[in-house]
Amino acid sequence: MRTRSNVRDHEPARSATALRHFEARLSFEADCADVYADMLAGVQGFTLLDTRSPTHYAAGHIPGALNLPHRRLDRDSLDLLGVPEDDLLVTYCAGPHCNASTRGAVRAAALGRAVKEMPGGLVGWEAEGFPVATGDEPQSLASMVRLGR
């Protein structure tokens, strides 16, 4: 007699269905390590948005990220920040327990903007050992890495 399995309680999806699902997830998400590598390499064409409050941003944020609380994300605020119209927006917030990045991604998509969410947020970024900036300004990631922070 086979022991009941929580893992196999539901049959896994067929390979073709699983492929579509996981490929689609990559269209919606960018992980911390990929964002870090691209930022460090100076890859252009995306803007990292911290969708938390200015207070939380100042306490600690990803270097190079712009602060744009999800409730304020609109065309005017993106224009004021100088975000190019054709940039991919990558939203993040505190971490898995926070949905500000999802709310920001919804607002960006409603504006017709290309957007991905960074799962894990700041918690995931820090867990990877990547540097964190403080203050009101988006310090350069490359300069922080050069300084050994």
Side-chain angles (χ1 to χ4, degrees), residues 37-114:
D38 278 7
M39 291 177 76
L40 200 57
V43 173
Q44 302 293 306
F46 73 95
T47 298
L48 186 60
L49 296 177
D50 184 320
T51 55
R52 302 172 301 148
S53 72
T55 302
H56 285 107
Y57 178 85
H61 60 271
I62 296 172
L66 302 177
N67 183 222
L68 184 52
H70 66 88
R71 287 182 179 90
R72 296 185 198 151
L73 200 159
D74 60 22
R75 285 188 206 290
D76 292 340
S77 61
L78 289 169
D79 288 345
L80 281 172
L81 288 172
V83 178
E85 183 72 31
D86 59 346
D87 260 16
L88 166 67
L89 304 177
V90 178
T91 62
Y92 80 91
C93 58
H97 60 282
C98 175
N99 70 4
S101 61
T102 303
R103 291 174 182 270
V106 166
R107 292 183 74 110
L111 295 172
R113 298 295 298 260

Side-chain angles (χ1 to χ4, degrees), residues 7 10 15-17 22-23 27 35 62-63 65 67 75 92 95 98 110 119 125 128-129 131 136 149:
V7 173
H10 299 280
S15 295
T17 303
F22 292 116
E23 283 181 338
S27 297
V35 171
I62 296 172
N67 183 222
R75 285 188 206 290
Y92 80 91
C98 175
W125 183 268
E128 294 283 343
D136 298 331
R149 292 188 188 160

